[in-house]
Amino acid sequence: YPRGACVHEMFRAQAARTPDAVALSWRGETWTYAELDARANRIAHALRRRGVGPEVRVGICLPRTPDLLAAMLGVLGAGGAYVPLDPAYPRERLGYMLQDGAIALVITSSVLADRLPDGAAGRLLLDRDADAIGAESADPPESGALPENLSHVIFTSGSTGRPKGVMIRHSAVVVLLHWLREIITDEERASVLFSTSVNFDVSVAEIFGTLCWGGKLVLVENALDLATVDEPVVHVSMVPSAAAELLRSGGIPASVRTLNLAGEALPNALAQGLYALPGVEKVGNVYGPTEDTTYSTYSLVGRGADQVLIGTPMANSQAYVLDAHLQPVPVGVAGELYLAGDGLSRGYASAPAMTAERFLPCPFGAPGGRMYRVMDRVRRRADAGGELEYLGRTDFQVKVRGFRIELGEIEARLAEHPLVHAAVVLVREDTPGDLRLVAYVVADVEADTDALRAHLAERVPAYMVPAAYVRLDAFPVTPNGKVDRKALPAPEGDAFALRGYEAPAGETEQAVAAIWAELLGTDRVGRGDDFFALGGHSLLAVRVASRVRQALGVDVSLGDLFERPVLADFARGLDAAGRADHAIDPVDRTGPIPLSFAQQRLWFLEQLGSLGGTYHIPMRLRLRGVLDRAALVRALDRIVARHEALRTTFPAVDGEPVQRVASIQASAFRLVEHDLSALADADDALHRVMRDEADAPFDLERGPLFRGRLVRMADDDHVLLLTMHHIVSDGWSAGVLHRELGALYTAFVRGDADPLPPLPVQYADYAAWQRRRVDGELLERQADFWERSLAGAPELLELPTDRARPRKQDFAGASLPIELDAEVTAALKALSRRHGTTLFMTLLAGWAVVLGRLAGQADVVVGTPTAGRERAETEELIGFFVQT
């Protein structure tokens, strides 16, 4: 590898080779290599004018936008070293990082500058100083940086109670980049998800491993947003816990071919579950500490393997398995892992003693070499070509959702609370796959959960705040007097509240407690526990209402839980309530079937005309690899047969609309096919087909109301376009369709039978049940409520717009994201708790106030959609349930 290169020089060389190639995609915008390079160079010139050069450390406190990448490249281009500063970190922690990291200057914005302590470092505000930065040259300045100079400093959790900054050199990053070029192909690099926080070392590989070799980054806020990305992502790096959540929720699109998982131990069940997805071809397990520049070893997990190993060292690196006397242990024998080679960092900022403790003289190889003590136990496997097997930690350092956490840091900060006499923190996995931080405290009675959480939230990042707190009179100890961590009890239902536990009394309380415990993920719930204090929110409250109806046959509303959030009070209200009309019974299909209220409303709007594609629900799936067309068509046919809503039309009988469900035999899914593979403008043609598909009108009377097109871009590249009319579907239904299509296609490709369980009811049954339930006196009472509530309400919201309101509504609009900082968010949550509301209710009230002030109206009408699936039987149905 070129020892004389620095990271920014590699990027500049790539930008010169491919200036017009897309380097970054973000919220529908694209940045070319030339644009990103020019922006970075202008920032670099501005930094040079402020004295930034080699070994000067520059903090970056910015949200996840293209400017974040431009700032990182700008710091490197000026010769400095960047230091990520997460805007969500507590102010005290940011102040410590500024001081300990010897940060001379911070790149931030006017909004975020208040998050930083005053006078700790200079400021370059990208918004306030935009004109000055824009006037700088787009040509690169001379950085003066050498390979042995720092490229960046990343802070990790520290066992002393303070985070520690790891100092990384350019030459170490260059080693990593060349190794990444060998394990990631150009095709995989063509579309790489950029979701990792720059405060997490995996971001170094994600960003520079893509940009320095001509790839494209697809920037998203969070890895869990992968399913919402509008363009196909091929390569993904993330922590295993995030991948597990995406796999569970069906959030990994078919375009993903390669996943490199790092930051946590990778369960083999997860790796094999990822291989079961139709598009996934490679699952890699990548291992390494920040001190060895992100990655040290790699193993390509075998499809069908029975175990996941951490692999063999990357190029220019060595891995030694040693005993307590620093002597190599035989193959197959467990020992402690030490890493050496060109990837080692310089050590810890402002911590020479800790650096000397962990970075030792290496007795192997050339004189003067160093090796890093990882504090992990491993062994070499003779039956796996000498690959390393991870066996666990030797200290109290852990990884939770990819974040490296020193439990001692949390313990030290928790012990600073005046009511806490001693503290121990563990990571527990009482439920498989659910890692949680649990704090054990010897504390005064007044030290309740809210006080301890608030104390820690001001001092450590959110990912380091324990989920549960257990108060003990004394810690269990071993015979030699040390805390016996293995003897600490599992948290129980009251661990979240630190209040006395009182068992539920009576059948109703016990049944409700079981429902709450399941949905809240806790072991037990006492009769004095508050649903929202235990972590409940409005979406979970909807599920509580559904489960209570199913288990107890009691008709309960969302408001009941808000009015009586304590278990004993809520159960008492259930005992006094009347029994619900519990069963949704199948209805006769020979006669006319009524529309649901939601369908009737939409049918009426469609009769007015001129709605265009407003109520069309389009879906787009990019299918990479060999496509089994027969299996795809069979899967779509099965979905239509499985869900009557997709076979339903809406003719008028005596002027009134009814549902008419077609037979399965008469409802085969018609898939229109287009072959664009030979066209020079295939991408433009694809967008035309997509637009035509989304806008083509539906005929509610004749149908079908579910259609699709398959577009062939190449032999191994297809685009599946599916469109449903809103009258038979909603957003929740789109998720059901996506999950079932994946499950059915996978089964049919393998030659297996339909794996989906039968549906208990169909949408027509629900519509008839809804009509029967809301009828007569109840219907009159509800109608009267809304007529009184909306009496005199304004028909229009008279906002002071810069253009006149059009005579005919055209439904044009856009979404404008707004970010609230951690301080405002915490205050809003506290306000919600004081008033017994959810955060959504508080924000909605604030939104109404804003609209009223802008419009100068005392009354405003605001609509909010709800899922409308108040019955457990409806959760897996495709249909129109959403209510406004």
Side-chain angles (χ1 to χ4, degrees):
Y1 64 93
R3 292 179 182 271
C6 291
V7 178
H8 56 283
E9 293 170 342
M10 295 180 67
F11 170 74
R12 287 173 180 170
Q14 182 62 50
R17 285 192 294 269
T18 57
D20 298 326
V22 175
L24 176 67
S25 171
W26 178 70
R27 293 183 177 176
E29 303 176 9
T30 58
W31 287 45
T32 66
Y33 272 85
E35 291 169 336
L36 185 58
D37 187 38
R39 176 64 168 161
N41 289 336
R42 290 189 171 97
I43 293 175
H45 280 291
L47 293 173
R48 293 287 285 176
R49 294 183 188 279
R50 287 164 171 78
V52 174
E55 298 299 314
V56 174
R57 302 171 195 177
V58 179
I60 299 180
C61 185
L62 292 170
R64 180 179 293 276
T65 68
D67 263 343
L68 174 64
L69 291 182
M72 294 168 66
L73 289 165
V75 172
L76 297 176
Y82 72 85
V83 185
L85 302 171
D86 193 327
Y89 281 176
R91 185 186 182 93
E92 180 185 343
R93 188 181 182 89
L94 290 174
Y96 174 82
M97 293 168 67
L98 289 171
Q99 180 181 1
D100 189 72
I103 295 173
L105 183 74
V106 179
I107 302 176
T108 185
S109 66
S110 301
V111 174
L112 294 175
D114 291 340
R115 298 285 302 140
L116 303 169
D118 296 333
R123 305 282 195 272
L124 176 64
L125 304 181
L126 293 187
D127 50 355
R128 189 198 65 186
D129 302 324
D131 292 340
I133 296 172
E136 297 284 359
S137 170
D139 296 327
E142 288 294 333
S143 72
L146 299 174
E148 292 310 306
N149 287 131
L150 291 181
S151 64
H152 62 283
V153 177
I154 286 186
F155 277 84
T156 66
S157 179
S159 58
T160 62
R162 294 290 185 181
K164 54 182 184 285
V166 182
M167 302 182 291
I168 310 294
R169 300 163 293 124
H170 279 275
S171 59
V173 179
V174 170
V175 172
L176 172 69
L177 299 186
H178 280 271
W179 177 73
L180 287 171
R181 192 181 188 187
E182 299 300 318
I183 68 166
I184 302 175
T185 67
D186 289 340
E187 185 178 7
E188 294 165 348
R189 200 177 286 110
S191 183
V192 177
L193 185 73
F194 172 33
S195 62
T196 306
S197 166
V198 293
N199 298 271
F200 185 23
D201 60 350
V202 172
S203 64
V204 176
E206 203 167 68
I207 296 168
F208 300 116
T210 301
L211 295 181
C212 289
W213 302 121
K216 181 181 71 173
L217 290 171
V218 180
L219 192 158
V220 298
E221 294 291 335
N222 188 292
L224 300 181
D225 297 332
L226 176 57
T228 66
V229 177
D230 290 334
E231 56 186 293
V233 171
V234 178
H235 178 82
V236 172
S237 296
M238 63 176 59
V239 294
S241 54
E245 177 61 25
L246 286 172
L247 180 65
R248 185 198 64 77
S249 63
I252 300 178
S255 63
V256 174
R257 299 176 59 185
T258 304
L259 295 103
N260 278 342
L261 304 179
E264 298 170 344
L266 172 59
N268 187 51
L270 172 58
Q272 301 309 317
L274 294 170
Y275 272 130
L277 297 176
V280 174
E281 299 173 357
K282 290 165 55 179
V283 177
N285 187 31
V286 196
Y287 167 91
T290 307
E291 288 83 351
D292 196 35
T293 314
T294 307
Y295 294 155
S296 305
T297 67
Y298 170 79
S299 176
L300 178 61
V301 182
R303 189 185 293 269
D306 56 6
Q307 188 177 15
V308 173
L309 304 177
I310 62 174
T312 55
M314 59 182 268
N316 300 86
S317 296
Q318 297 84 44
Y320 302 108
V321 185
L322 308 179
D323 62 17
H325 304 289
L326 300 185
Q327 295 298 310
V329 300
V331 173
V333 176
E336 194 171 337
L337 179 62
Y338 291 77
L339 297 170
D342 294 340
L344 284 190
S345 68
R346 188 182 291 177
Y348 301 113
S350 306
M354 187 178 296
T355 300
E357 178 186 340
R358 300 295 290 273
F359 291 84
L360 308 175
C362 182
F364 317 102
R370 299 181 308 150
M371 63 182 184
Y372 172 68
R373 185 184 183 188
V374 186
M375 307 290 286
D376 279 346
R377 294 179 66 250
V378 299
R379 65 181 171 190
R380 294 192 190 278
R381 292 282 295 270
D383 58 345
E387 287 200 30
L388 295 170
E389 178 185 1
Y390 175 76
L391 301 175
R393 290 292 297 174
T394 63
D395 61 359
F396 297 130
Q397 185 188 98
V398 297
K399 281 198 174 181
V400 178
R401 295 180 295 280
F403 291 100
R404 194 171 86 179
I405 298 172
E406 290 279 6
L407 298 177
E409 179 177 357
I410 308 174
E411 293 170 355
R413 307 319 299 273
L414 195 54
E416 294 172 359
H417 192 285
L419 298 178
V420 174
H421 307 300
V424 172
V425 178
L426 296 182
V427 169
R428 301 192 64 101
E429 191 176 4
D430 298 304
T431 301
D434 182 18
L435 293 174
R436 294 193 300 173
L437 287 172
V438 178
Y440 297 84
V441 296
V442 177
D444 295 343
V445 175
E446 295 83 0
D448 63 17
T449 293
D450 289 341
L452 297 180
R453 279 204 181 102
H455 172 82
L456 285 174
E458 295 174 356
R459 292 162 175 80
V460 300
Y463 64 83
M464 293 175 64
V465 177
Y469 298 78
V470 180
R471 188 175 57 238
L472 301 172
D473 295 331
F475 294 143
V477 295
T478 63
N480 62 5
K482 293 184 178 180
V483 175
D484 187 353
R485 293 173 177 260
K486 294 181 179 179
L488 290 168
E492 298 178 343
D494 56 344
F496 294 87
L498 273 180
R499 300 185 180 95
Y501 173 78
E502 184 180 357
E507 293 183 3
T508 303
E509 286 189 12
Q510 292 169 4
V512 173
I515 293 171
W516 285 17
E518 178 188 354
L519 295 179
L520 294 167
T522 186
D523 292 335
R524 67 181 187 182
V525 176
R527 65 191 315 263
D529 286 333
D530 184 300
F531 177 78
F532 298 102
L534 293 177
H537 48 75
S538 57
L539 293 178
L540 281 179
V542 171
R543 297 181 65 187
V544 166
S546 174
R547 298 292 178 87
V548 166
R549 289 190 193 98
Q550 189 176 32
L552 302 177
V554 178
D555 200 356
V556 59
S557 72
L558 202 60
D560 294 334
L561 189 53
F562 283 101
E563 292 174 7
R564 298 185 296 275
V566 175
L567 185 134
D569 296 338
F570 181 70
R572 191 160 46 249
L574 297 181
D575 287 334
R579 294 287 154 177
D581 178 8
H582 188 263
I584 299 180
D585 298 320
V587 297
D588 184 8
R589 298 298 197 270
T590 58
I593 304 172
L595 278 61
S596 69
F597 293 119
Q599 287 179 326
Q600 184 180 20
R601 181 174 68 248
L602 190 50
W603 181 89
F604 174 78
L605 291 175
E606 285 285 359
Q607 306 314 300
L608 300 178
S610 304
L611 291 178
T614 303
Y615 289 103
H616 297 181
I617 301 178
M619 298 175 62
R620 182 185 68 185
L621 298 174
R622 194 72 179 245
L623 309 177
R624 303 277 190 178
V626 177
L627 177 66
D628 188 332
R629 183 191 173 282
L632 176 64
V633 173
R634 184 182 173 197
L636 290 166
D637 275 343
R638 177 66 193 120
I639 290 173
V640 174
R642 176 176 170 81
H643 294 277
E644 284 187 358
L646 300 179
R647 294 184 273 122
T648 300
T649 53
F650 299 87
V653 176
D654 298 329
E656 292 293 326
V658 296
Q659 294 192 62
R660 179 171 293 162
V661 180
S663 66
I664 296 176
Q665 293 75 18
S667 303
F669 186 83
R670 181 169 175 263
L671 188 64
V672 179
E673 299 194 38
H674 303 261
D675 190 345
L676 308 181
S677 59
L679 298 182
D681 64 340
D683 287 339
D684 293 338
L686 172 63
H687 283 90
R688 289 194 294 271
V689 172
M690 290 168 53
R691 184 172 58 251
D692 293 344
E693 167 59 29
D695 293 342
F698 284 101
D699 187 329
L700 297 188
E701 185 171 351
R702 296 178 177 83
L705 302 182
F706 175 41
R707 63 181 184 228
R709 304 191 195 195
L710 181 64
V711 184
R712 181 176 180 268
M713 305 298 290
D715 290 343
D716 59 350
D717 186 5
H718 295 76
V719 179
L720 177 63
L721 305 176
L722 300 174
T723 311
M724 298 180 284
H725 195 283
H726 204 345
I727 201 168
V728 297
S729 181
D730 53 19
W732 185 309
S733 299
V736 174
L737 174 61
H738 186 275
R739 290 195 303 273
E740 292 191 351
L741 181 59
L744 289 167
Y745 177 80
T746 300
F748 294 159
V749 166
R750 294 173 176 171
D752 296 339
D754 178 356
L756 301 176
L759 295 170
V761 295
Q762 291 287 342
Y763 187 85
D765 304 321
Y766 163 80
W769 170 85
Q770 184 191 57
R771 289 281 181 175
R772 185 175 65 250
R773 177 172 172 267
V774 184
D775 199 3
E777 181 184 346
L778 178 59
L779 180 60
E780 291 178 6
R781 189 166 67 248
Q782 291 192 356
D784 180 63
F785 168 83
W786 285 109
E787 287 175 359
R788 284 186 286 104
S789 298
L790 296 175
E795 295 185 6
L796 295 176
L797 188 65
E798 299 292 353
L799 291 172
T801 56
D802 57 351
R803 293 173 178 79
R805 185 187 295 272
R807 290 186 177 181
K808 184 177 180 181
Q809 189 174 4
D810 60 7
F811 301 99
S815 297
L816 178 65
I818 296 175
E819 294 185 359
L820 304 180
D821 63 31
E823 204 169 312
V824 173
T825 302
L828 285 167
K829 289 180 177 178
L831 176 66
S832 301
R833 285 194 298 270
R834 288 198 302 272
H835 290 273
T837 66
T838 64
L839 182 60
F840 171 79
M841 295 161 68
T842 303
L843 289 171
L844 181 60
W847 176 235
V849 170
V850 169
L851 292 177
R853 285 181 177 175
L854 290 175
Q857 297 176 204
D859 289 329
V860 296
V861 180
V862 181
T864 63
T866 63
R869 299 188 184 236
E870 300 166 349
R871 308 281 305 197
E873 305 97 306
T874 64
E875 291 184 359
E876 297 302 321
L877 278 182
I878 291 177
F880 183 20
F881 294 90
V882 68
Q883 299 282 354
T884 301

